[in-house]
Amino acid sequence: MLRKMSTPILTGIFACGLLAGACQSGKTLHSAPAPLASPDALATPSTQPRVKNVIFMIGDGMGITQMTAGRLREFGPNSKSRIESMPVTGLAHTHSIDDLITDSAASATALATGYKTRNGMIGMLPDMTSAKTLLEAAAEAGKKTGVVATSSVTHATPASFTAHVALRKMEPQIAEQQASGNVDVILGAGLQFFQPMSTEGSDRRDNRDLLAEARENGFQVVRSADEMAAITDGRILGLFAPKYLSGLAGEPSLTEMTNKAISLVKDDPDGFFLMIEGSQIDWGGHDNDPEYVIREMIAFDKAVQAALDFAEADGQTLVVVTADHETGGMSITKGSFGGDSLEVKWTTGKHTGTPVGVFAYGPGSLRFTGVFDNTELPRIIDDLWQLPDFPQVLSE
Ligand code: MG
Ligand code: ZN
């Protein structure tokens, strides 16, 4: 059983942590490491081929402790998670342009465009000019593109790769830009912003039917896992819930969406760019709910495995995993070796300013060793791709 500790603990949270739990469990810390959990350590070749495809994966609110909690639950202390099995690691700073504590809009905009902006802004700079996103640059280069999320596809993270608005809450407008845009794959939730106000549950203030507009724009629109499974080529807009995915019957898992997205873009001779988000790790952090964090963390880790499996077979795909920020100031202060009993303490119900991990596999992955500002990550991908005109401020 997890014990939720909401009392702010501001000092000493790193003094005992896992060691205390390990000592209390009566087990030695010097036992031989168990074999690695799936996958086996992925090799990084010393000379790397060109980067054709990029799968950019963001765990929203995924601090190192969130990753650790998921790993302890699933594999125990002597094994690595799937993300941790990636061979190249770094750290990224997450602050926004004028706030040490970023929100998901500013951080996703940094990861998408290579520019810092203010909290709340989506693909847009503080002076209200738009910045080209890496997804848009990839599309200009003829690559197929897609975004996958377990939140609404209009939520800050996927929106920052596919839209340009001044405020993250402008989700009806974000939906309009997505429905009329040229992204090939959009999978997640958010029906409430695509259906006319006459439809029950709609959050639109007009009677535009963006599902119909998306169809006219060439999307195949699907609303269940079965419908998604039946799509084998072409463009897809899959919206499986009004607001967010919650594991209900008929919804695809993040891994299923990841595999479908890959299958729909993988045959483009020019390559592809996918952004795949574990959206709700952050929401577990805001709730100071360890079980929610662990559940979402494990789901995201499994989706990363799906990406790694494709990349390993393909050989020309770079996978980069990072987070937009940490949420909750999560710390593990006690626990059993099996991870079934973890004492978790939180310092806030909001985001924190700690750096986040960067993990990479595949061609170009060695470039992700070191400590980065979050704006550097898309610039490195662009450099590997050698796309023209990125980063770029777009004039009206
Ligand atoms: Mg997000
Ligand atoms: Zn958050």
Side-chain angles (χ1 to χ4, degrees), residues 44-364:
T44 299
S46 53
T47 58
Q48 302 196 328
R50 80 181 181 102
V51 179
K52 181 181 178 190
N53 314 309
V54 173
I55 305 176
F56 195 47
M57 305 189 70
I58 299 174
D60 197 315
M62 183 182 72
I64 300 296
T65 308
Q66 283 80 355
M67 294 180 55
T68 302
R71 170 174 62 86
L72 289 174
R73 172 63 58 81
E74 200 177 9
F75 300 116
N78 291 323
S79 297
K80 297 178 187 177
S81 69
R82 303 166 182 89
I83 296 172
E84 289 172 339
S85 299
M86 297 171 72
V88 178
T89 57
L91 291 172
H93 299 166
T94 67
H95 59 284
S96 61
I97 199 164
D98 59 356
D99 198 326
L100 289 178
I101 311 302
T102 193
D103 83 325
S104 293
S107 54
T109 296
L111 293 169
T113 71
Y115 292 107
K116 294 283 195 198
T117 194
R118 285 209 185 105
N119 285 354
M121 300 188 87
I122 300 286
M124 208 174 248
L125 305 181
D127 67 358
M128 304 288 281
T129 53
S130 295
K132 185 187 289 182
T133 76
L134 192 57
L135 182 148
E136 291 165 342
E140 284 175 9
K143 298 176 188 296
K144 281 206 161 57
T145 61
V147 291
V148 175
T150 55
S151 63
S152 170
V153 296
T154 57
H155 209 262
T157 314
S160 294
F161 286 81
T162 53
H164 306 274
V165 296
L167 289 170
R168 58 186 292 171
K169 68 180 180 190
M170 295 166 67
E171 290 182 84
Q173 289 88 341
I174 292 166
E176 290 161 22
Q177 293 183 25
Q178 292 172 330
S180 64
N182 62 358
V183 182
D184 296 292
V185 175
I186 301 178
L187 299 174
L191 276 169
Q192 61 177 334
F193 299 113
F194 287 80
Q195 293 180 309
M197 64 186 292
S198 55
T199 301
E200 192 181 334
S202 168
D203 243 319
R204 294 198 63 79
R205 294 187 182 171
D206 57 32
N207 267 315
R208 284 179 70 173
D209 180 350
L210 296 187
L211 298 182
E213 291 183 27
R215 278 189 206 98
E216 283 163 27
N217 182 30
F219 281 107
Q220 303 165 91
V221 176
V222 301
R223 294 178 51 177
S224 70
D226 287 345
E227 288 177 12
M228 182 184 82
I231 303 294
T232 55
D233 58 17
R235 298 172 66 213
I236 185 172
L237 171 63
L239 301 175
F240 308 103
K243 297 181 177 179
Y244 55 89
L245 300 187
S246 47
L248 296 175
E251 291 180 7
S253 68
L254 182 58
T255 296
E256 288 167 341
M257 291 193 292
T258 298
N259 282 326
K260 177 55 68 175
I262 291 170
S263 76
L264 290 173
V265 298
K266 70 181 172 61
D267 292 326
D268 190 312
D270 297 313
F272 67 78
F273 174 82
L274 291 176
M275 191 293 295
I276 295 165
E277 185 197 25
S279 313
Q280 297 181 36
I281 302 165
D282 175 65
W283 302 354
H286 283 296
D287 287 353
N288 284 186
D289 181 343
E291 287 295 341
Y292 193 173
V293 167
I294 288 170
R295 184 171 72 241
E296 296 301 318
M297 193 61 242
I298 291 172
F300 182 63
D301 197 52
K302 288 179 176 173
V304 170
Q305 182 65 61
L308 293 173
D309 287 344
F310 172 79
E312 197 171 17
D314 176 68
Q316 292 183 289
T317 300
L318 168 67
V319 181
V320 178
V321 179
T322 190
D324 51 354
H325 53 74
E326 195 273 350
T327 303
M330 186 184 192
S331 185
I332 296 166
T333 51
K334 248 185 215 177
S336 68
F337 249 51
D340 49 329
S341 138
L342 292 178
E343 182 182 275
V344 171
K345 294 180 181 175
W346 305 86
T347 59
T348 179
K350 299 179 180 173
H351 301 170
T352 67
T354 67
V356 293
V358 178
F359 305 83
Y361 169 75

